[in-house]
């Protein structure tokens, strides 16, 4: 039987417009304890790049939006021109979510410490309860979506789930951390075993980066 060669997806053109694809802050293989390098490459270089390209295309003829940070644009979705609202929701949400996602991985897992751990104990019932509830939110999100931990200006935490590329930013909230449960985030290694992926994902969380996000949220400087 002849060997079959499958075509590789073409890399999208470099984004042109007010939004750009942030580089990964680590090597593609940095998250091998949960996510293989090939998935990281496809996810970042193709999927995230496509969100950025599509977002730039959506706002191309709306120069008043070009200087608006993505978190502000998402918070003002109902005020955007109707013709681009859905494109901004889907692609702007995807851009914001993935920018956050890359930034809180590349670590060695374990548990947080200090003020962040105190907040988890206070608001989320302690480490074991938090981890169980977060995995449940990730595993029970029907179809594609995200599990998040939201954070308020006074440091209060809550677990949330959102479909597709929706984000708490659309409600004026802020995200402490989140896990992507779209199939493209895990399918090469885990296929339909999403719970196996969501358990392994803790092994690559960078709690130092998450703690920095927590401090920024309390200071009012956290963006996406």
């Amino acid at each position: 039987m002849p060997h079959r060669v499958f075509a590789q997806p073409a890399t999208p053109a470099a984004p042109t417009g007010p939004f750009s694809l942030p580089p990964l802050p680590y090597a593609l293989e940095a998250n091998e304890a949960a996510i293989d390098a090939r998935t990281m490459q496809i996810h970042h270089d193709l999927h995230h790049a496509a969100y950025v390209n599509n977002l730039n295309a959506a706002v191309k003829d709306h120069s008043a939006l070009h200087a608006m940070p993505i978190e502000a644009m998402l918070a003002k979705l109902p005020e955007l021109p109707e013709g681009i609202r859905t494109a901004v929701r889907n692609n702007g949400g995807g851009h914001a979510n993935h920018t956050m996602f890359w930034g809180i991985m590349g670590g060695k897992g374990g548990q947080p410490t200090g003020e962040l751990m105190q907040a988890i104990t206070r608001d989320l019932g302690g480490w074991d309860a938090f981890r169980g509830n977060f995995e449940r939110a990730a595993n029970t999100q029907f179809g594609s979506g995200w599990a998040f931990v939201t954070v308020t200006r006074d440091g209060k935490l809550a677990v949330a789930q959102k479909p597709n590329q929706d984000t708490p930013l659309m409600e004026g909230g802020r995200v402490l951390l989140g896990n992507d449960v779209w199939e493209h985030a895990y399918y090469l290694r885990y296929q339909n075993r999403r719970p196996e992926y969501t358990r392994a994902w803790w092994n690559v969380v960078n709690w130092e980066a998450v703690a920095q996000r927590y401090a920024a949220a309390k200071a009012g400087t956290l963006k996406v």
Side-chain angles (χ1 to χ4, degrees), residues 1 3 5 41 45 60 71 75 84 109 124 147 152 154 162 195 200 206-207 212 216:
M1 183 175 180
H3 178 67
V5 177
Q41 181 185 35
D45 295 355
K60 178 181 178 182
E71 66 273 12
I84 66 169
L124 303 177
T152 63
D154 60 2
K162 294 289 184 183
N206 182 339
W207 287 111
Q212 291 171 358

Side-chain angles (χ1 to χ4, degrees), residues 74 89 92-93 96-97 148 162-163 165-171 175:
L74 292 172
R89 179 180 197 131
N97 285 338
F148 293 108
K162 294 289 184 183
Q165 293 297 351
D166 283 4
T167 163
L169 297 172
M170 295 172 181
E171 299 148 8
V175 173

Side-chain angles (χ1 to χ4, degrees), residues 32-186:
E32 280 284 351
I35 305 169
D36 58 279
R38 180 60 175 149
T39 292
M40 289 294 300
Q41 181 185 35
I42 294 170
H43 200 168
H44 176 268
D45 295 355
L46 301 182
H47 288 281
H48 190 175
Y51 292 130
V52 174
N53 286 335
N54 292 337
L55 176 60
N56 281 328
V59 302
K60 178 181 178 182
D61 298 325
H62 300 270
S63 58
L65 300 178
H66 291 187
M68 185 179 291
I70 188 59
E71 66 273 12
M73 190 178 299
L74 292 172
K76 294 180 177 295
L77 267 179
E79 302 172 27
L80 298 185
E82 185 175 359
I84 66 169
R85 204 173 297 154
T86 297
V88 171
R89 179 180 197 131
N90 293 338
N91 296 288
H95 177 42
N97 285 338
H98 285 88
T99 300
M100 172 277 301
F101 189 53
W102 312 132
I104 54 109
M105 295 194 298
K108 299 186 181 302
Q111 298 182 15
T113 58
E115 191 176 7
L116 177 55
M117 189 58 150
Q118 293 171 11
I120 289 173
T121 300
R122 180 192 68 221
D123 299 330
L124 303 177
W127 174 254
D128 290 339
F130 156 59
R131 178 167 169 163
N133 288 333
F134 187 84
E135 288 182 24
R136 191 172 303 111
N139 295 333
T140 61
Q141 172 55 48
F142 185 76
S144 300
W146 291 75
F148 293 108
V149 175
T150 60
V151 57
T152 63
R153 178 68 185 269
D154 60 2
K156 185 173 178 58
L157 306 180
V159 173
Q161 60 180 185
K162 294 289 184 183
N164 303 316
Q165 293 297 351
D166 283 4
T167 163
L169 297 172
M170 295 172 181
E171 299 148 8
R174 286 295 180 271
V175 173
L176 178 67
L177 62 87
N179 192 4
D180 186 348
V181 294
W182 282 63
E183 285 189 341
H184 64 238
Y186 62 87

